[in-house]
Amino acid sequence: MATYTAPINDMMFLFEKLRDNKHYNDLEKYKEVNTDLAKDILEQAAKITENLILPLAKIGDENPTKLENGVVITPPGYKEAYKKFIQDGWTSLSCDPKYGGQGMPKTISAFFDEMLSSASLSFKLYSELSIGAYNCILHNGTDSIKKKFLPNMVEGIWSGTMCLTEPVCGTDLGLLKTKATEQPDGTFKLTGQKIFITSGDHDLTENIIHLVLARVADAPDGTKGISLFLVPKIQVKEDGSLGSRNGVSTGSVESKMGIKGSATCVLNFDEAAGYMIGPKNKGLSSMFTMMNLERIVVGIQGLGISEIAYQNALNYSRERKQGKSNNSKSINGADVIIDHADIRRSLLNMKSVIEGERALSFWLAQQTEVSLHHNDSKIKQQASDLVALITPVVKSLFTDMGMEITSDAMQIFGGYGYTKDQGMERLYRDNRITPIYEGTNSVQAIDLVFRKLVNENRNIIGSYIQLIKEEVKKNKKNNETKLFAETLNNYLKKLIDFTDWIEKSIKSSKDDVSAACNDYLKVLGLVAVGYSWLKVLDISYKEIKNNKEFFEDKIETAKFFFDRVLPRIDTHYKSGISGSKNIMNFKFN
Ligand SMILES: Cc1cc2nc3c(=O)[nH]c(=O)nc-3n(C[C@H](O)[C@H](O)[C@H](O)COP(=O)(O)OP(=O)(O)OC[C@H]3O[C@@H](n4cnc5c(N)ncnc54)[C@H](O)[C@@H]3O)c2cc1C
């Protein structure tokens, strides 16, 4: 079984030294969240993820969720663990105290998301979608809906889902068919089928609150005619107590490649009673409050799975003996494989990507809080633009790198990685969904290039590039970081050239641009991680006297990233700007 130790040291380093967003630090509501409190929470979080949740990963993989006599049964141990999980208040960590939450910022909850993803993504998904549904209701629901549904969701005794996908409607939500018919009392009856619904049904909570996209009778075609509805599995009476079963049933539970402990359900809505959330025909924008935050969390899933894969590969490479290394001192027998240059390269590749991603994710958590809570509307908008720009990058880059890292970690185990005992192949299988759900990574890249670079004449990519230029300028003046700053600047120029190319090409050939989106996202993502590393380097050189071992490790890891990972930008840039003529004219026989 894979082992796991939560990387609290690295998380606390970020929390203490990289909390550098002035506007985040101005947020009154988070002034009391100091280092001691953060450390205490992360230590408790580490305990529950390492001891209670990690063992569920293997159990869930070997005993998938099943449907028996219309009831969805989770793997052995899930019920007991979930009970403890909610008793200890983990579902309420980042929720509003008004509804029973603890009001912790995303700078803390993102670390917990990472730990949970490392320990068991399947188990995590039961509470993750609830938090997503909570956020959507919080931002779009009326006061009475919030009062009726949120406290139990925050407590974790009710869970939530997000029901978009239908058999013929995945990426293109404009095709969705589920119907909502208005009733004389202003409620609705929903009829239709939703598929692939995460935590669509299960035995962990008393009730499940579905957020469902559907069309009302006179709705226009396409995405302009979609509304959002809250549909409880069990109806809730006016006094908040549970009533009769609603018209929602589980058609089946999917059999999947990975995350087998997570219930992925076909849900049939048959005249199910529901309430409209937000304005009529504006359901997609209401749902997007949930989806945008959720996309960041999916990126963090990729990061968490990468971390546990790396930890296990590192441990194994210290024990497994094979062959003699170039500098071998052993006379008889073989060296441990960590002595081989290629294994060291592979491990450093993982480590440098993971720590850089964690720093970027922490930056994004600060921006997200500013975008949600700052009093100044201009500052709020600027943060919101940056969050919109970097969300698809985090979602796609982290999950794609998760595939590379879980595959490389499996490789370090050799044949033992491919067989089941060590748990490495499960990490690869579990991670494989992350580039697919919450909008596929290719669709994220398209969204980034066609919709996020410029918005209502605000040059968002320009503002982001400006931030990086300032960091580069500052670090060029420092002898220790100068070379790193110059290297990042060279790659930043590639990003600028690529952005100019897109701006020009979009006028002549949309196919050229569409075919370049994935490469562009990678270039922006690698520059963004490089930018995070430059900040880490700046601090590391200043602080090295206080903790030599920790900061030397950071500096040496960063060197690898700058020498061996950033150069991938050259290939992506060259490939991206090569056009689409051959691609579009090719005849697939
Ligand atoms: C385990 C699991 C859990 C899930 N959980 C949920 C859930 O809780 N709620 C929910 O509503 N859904 C959920 N989904 C559905 C998931 O979000 C969709 O599968 C995903 O968005 C892709 O939709 P699709 O499968 O219909 O693929 P399609 O949309 O058919 O896409 C097929 C391929 O075409 C590409 N493509 C599509 N459109 C374009 C385009 N315009 N340009 C270029 N390429 C394009 C895609 O990138 C993809 O490679 C889940 C799915 C799984 C497998």
Side-chain angles (χ1 to χ4, degrees), residues 502-519:
I502 281 178
E503 207 181 307
K504 246 190 276 145
S505 307
I506 218 161
K507 293 172 195 146
S508 54
S509 166
K510 281 200 172 159
D511 281 333
D512 279 1
V513 177
S514 294
C517 288
N518 263 308
D519 283 310

Side-chain angles (χ1 to χ4, degrees), residues 252-399:
S252 60
V253 172
E254 301 293 348
S255 167
K256 310 189 292 290
M257 172 186 185
I259 55 163
K260 292 172 187 252
S262 164
T264 310
C265 302
V266 171
L267 291 184
N268 296 316
F269 292 82
D270 187 11
E271 303 254 295
Y275 311 88
M276 189 181 275
I277 300 288
K280 183 166 123 181
N281 295 334
K282 299 269 184 252
L284 263 193
S285 68
S286 306
M287 189 63 119
F288 267 106
T289 26
M290 175 173 181
M291 281 164 65
N292 284 333
L293 292 171
E294 196 49 37
R295 281 176 180 161
I296 298 173
V297 181
V298 173
I300 294 173
Q301 292 174 6
L303 168 61
I305 296 180
S306 299
E307 170 68 32
I308 185 172
Y310 164 67
Q311 287 187 14
N312 282 272
L314 176 64
N315 292 342
Y316 185 77
S317 71
R318 285 178 165 144
E319 290 162 10
R320 177 72 172 168
K321 287 186 176 171
Q322 288 294 299
K324 293 226 183 208
S325 67
N326 295 329
N327 306 305
S328 179
K329 294 206 170 57
S330 74
I331 299 162
N332 298 316
D335 291 320
V336 281
I337 59 173
I338 197 171
D339 286 349
H340 296 301
D342 186 59
I343 295 278
R344 302 178 74 80
R345 174 203 57 74
S346 178
L347 289 167
L348 262 172
N349 181 56
M350 298 180 208
K351 178 170 158 61
S352 72
V353 168
I354 289 167
E355 290 180 19
E357 285 181 354
R358 189 174 292 125
L360 174 59
S361 157
F362 187 71
W363 175 92
L364 186 59
Q366 293 174 75
Q367 294 289 353
T368 306
E369 289 295 349
V370 175
S371 76
L372 292 170
H373 301 300
H374 207 281
N375 291 331
D376 184 321
S377 59
K378 203 169 151 210
I379 292 171
K380 212 171 161 169
Q381 183 63 60
Q382 282 165 349
S384 184
D385 285 345
L386 290 172
V387 171
L389 179 78
I390 299 301
T391 295
V393 172
V394 162
K395 196 276 174 182
S396 300
L397 184 77
F398 290 18
T399 57

